[in-house]
Amino acid sequence: MTATSVTAPTQLSDDPDALVAGWLDTDLDQWCRSVVRRHFHPETGSPYWLRRAKRFDFDPRDITRYDQLAAFGPFRLENLREQDPGDLVPQSVPRPLAGRAWDTGGTTGTPCRVFYTPDMLRHRAVWRRWSFVREGFAPGRTWLQATPTGPHLIGHGVWEVSELYAGQAYAIDMDPRWVKRLIRSGRLQDVGDYTAHLLEQITDVLRQAPVHYLNTTPALFQTLRQRHPDLVSALEGVRLSGTQISADMYRAFKSALNGGICGMTYGNTFGNAACWEVERNGELISYVPNFPQVTMAVVRKDDWSAVVDPGAVGQVRLTVLHEDLFLPNILERDQALRHRTEEWPCDGVANISPLQTTSSAPEGLY
């Protein structure tokens, strides 16, 4: 395989299909070398990683293969709660930085924050468009984005739909952290009231505008399906972003859509994976990461460095290899099957579910 350039910027005018083809033809080891050396360049590297390099017992610039990233150990997400997110961006990116810092959901405490450069946003958007095409969503349609907003990257989907898929987009206000806070404090009546508030926003748009597609979370769509089946059956499709979708939920959603599309994606602020295939009527739902900048592995729960056999269950390990953001070996709060297909250059994941569910880490509307 040939390697794509790690310096050429991605422009909106570029052919998205050609971009995806080039990314999929990337040699992962060469890409890894280039990204690591960019972040550890002594003069233009990332301030955060250059500080960390002083405490390593190896020279990161000697990394030559993707599998050698294990030398960094698991990435502590606490670093993203304490650091200036701009410090993870190489100094080769012109200062002052122009772009957005995005938050994670903050399920387990203070949110993690990462800075997205324009190239990172375009990479995510091009892959999302690729998913739209694969799943059968038509361009030039009207969408309702009923997902977290404000500092949450998923809310950026309104821009992705309008700019890369020639669509018109509506949106609602949604703060998932408030719901999680209510759950933790046992205020279930208030949880119900907030859910009703979200459904009111959704139904107002669906009744007023000719919406073709809805983008939301499995939990919120489940409630919409139960309370407003007529509005769901009128949709031409839904795209679901979140971790908790079982075979039973998938079958119920497909039935409620009355022949409409049920697309899915898995991921978070750090990296995403697109739905690859649904087999046996939802008994297997697999995803492939947005290669090569995002890769995923399924590892043993008691040994983060040991990848499980194909088809076995383990913890999801995420690695981010953007030119402008390097996050090796993030251990997610999710478990999955290791899924391998010859049509993708790296492992995928299937049948995602929370690694553990406790009262201190509620999933809320996800």
Side-chain angles (χ1 to χ4, degrees):
M1 293 188 294
T2 59
T4 58
S5 169
V6 296
T7 58
T10 301
Q11 303 295 334
L12 284 176
S13 58
D14 291 338
D15 178 358
D17 295 328
L19 289 170
V20 168
W23 290 332
L24 290 177
D25 198 34
T26 298
D27 180 274
L28 186 55
D29 288 337
Q30 183 170 340
W31 180 266
C32 177
R33 287 194 297 274
S34 299
V35 170
V36 170
R37 289 172 185 174
R38 175 178 170 89
H39 283 268
F40 287 93
H41 190 284
E43 297 176 358
T44 61
S46 311
Y48 168 81
W49 283 114
L50 290 177
R51 291 194 299 269
R52 287 290 309 277
K54 297 176 182 177
R55 301 195 295 272
F56 292 151
D57 60 2
F58 66 97
D59 187 342
R61 290 173 296 176
D62 291 337
I63 295 290
T64 60
R65 301 191 313 275
Y66 174 81
D67 60 11
Q68 293 175 326
L69 294 178
F72 290 100
F75 186 84
R76 294 177 62 254
L77 290 181
E78 288 76 12
N79 295 322
L80 301 181
R81 298 185 174 104
E82 302 165 355
Q83 299 287 329
D84 176 354
D87 279 357
L88 282 96
V89 181
Q91 291 285 353
S92 52
V93 177
R95 263 56 173 182
L97 292 172
R100 286 269 318 255
W102 300 94
D103 289 10
T104 58
T107 295
T108 56
T110 303
C112 299
R113 294 182 172 90
V114 293
F115 187 90
Y116 263 62
T117 60
D119 275 356
M120 292 172 65
L121 284 177
R122 284 189 284 266
H123 175 263
R124 182 182 184 276
V126 168
W127 272 117
R128 192 159 185 249
R129 176 194 175 278
W130 178 88
S131 298
F132 290 163
V133 174
R134 179 179 174 83
E135 293 165 341
F137 293 99
R141 300 299 179 89
T142 301
W143 290 72
L144 169 57
Q145 184 87 8
T147 60
T149 49
H152 301 285
L153 181 58
I154 190 173
H156 191 67
V158 169
W159 176 88
E160 294 165 346
V161 165
S162 60
E163 293 294 324
L164 278 181
Y165 223 53
Q168 181 180 354
Y170 293 83
I172 69 168
D173 284 325
M174 178 176 172
D175 179 3
R177 292 181 199 152
W178 180 242
V179 177
K180 292 171 183 177
R181 182 174 181 176
L182 295 175
I183 293 173
R184 289 192 189 98
S185 59
R187 296 163 59 184
L188 299 186
Q189 178 60 51
D190 291 332
V191 173
D193 289 345
Y194 191 77
T195 302
H197 165 65
L198 296 176
L199 290 177
E200 181 178 353
Q201 295 182 68
I202 293 171
T203 56
D204 280 351
V205 176
L206 293 181
R207 290 191 173 113
Q208 182 266 333
V211 173
H212 301 98
Y213 303 133
L214 172 66
N215 189 187
T216 190
T217 69
L220 195 51
F221 188 65
Q222 177 84 302
T223 305
L224 179 67
R225 178 188 70 85
Q226 293 167 344
R227 300 186 189 179
H228 302 281
D230 56 322
L231 296 179
V232 169
S233 65
L235 292 169
E236 294 182 16
V238 65
R239 197 155 195 272
L240 303 171
S241 304
T243 60
Q244 298 192 55
I245 179 166
S246 65
D248 287 342
M249 290 174 69
Y250 175 78
R251 289 191 285 266
F253 293 166
K254 285 292 291 182
S255 177
L257 286 165
N258 196 27
I261 302 166
C262 184
M264 293 168 285
T265 185
Y266 164 64
N268 53 34
T269 306
F270 311 129
N272 282 71
C275 184
W276 179 250
E277 57 189 351
V278 178
E279 299 179 11
R280 302 190 298 277
N281 200 18
E283 294 296 332
L284 179 73
I285 302 175
S286 61
Y287 304 83
V288 288
N290 295 357
F291 188 86
Q293 289 90 336
V294 178
T295 59
M296 293 175 178
V298 180
V299 300
R300 285 174 44 181
K301 298 177 184 179
D302 60 351
D303 183 357
W304 70 270
S305 64
V307 177
V308 303
D309 294 332
V313 177
Q315 186 172 8
V316 178
R317 188 184 72 197
L318 170 72
T319 289
V320 178
L321 281 169
H322 278 286
E323 297 171 87
D324 300 331
L325 183 65
F326 173 55
L327 303 174
N329 308 318
I330 297 174
L331 297 177
E332 298 282 20
R333 295 184 300 109
D334 305 321
Q335 67 179 27
L337 297 174
R338 180 187 175 194
H339 184 74
R340 195 77 182 96
T341 172
E342 294 182 358
E343 299 175 70
W344 212 254
C346 66
D347 278 355
V349 294
N351 292 7
I352 309 294
S353 64
L355 187 65
Q356 60 182 4
T357 302
T358 68
S359 60
S360 62
E363 292 298 319
L365 292 171
Y366 270 114

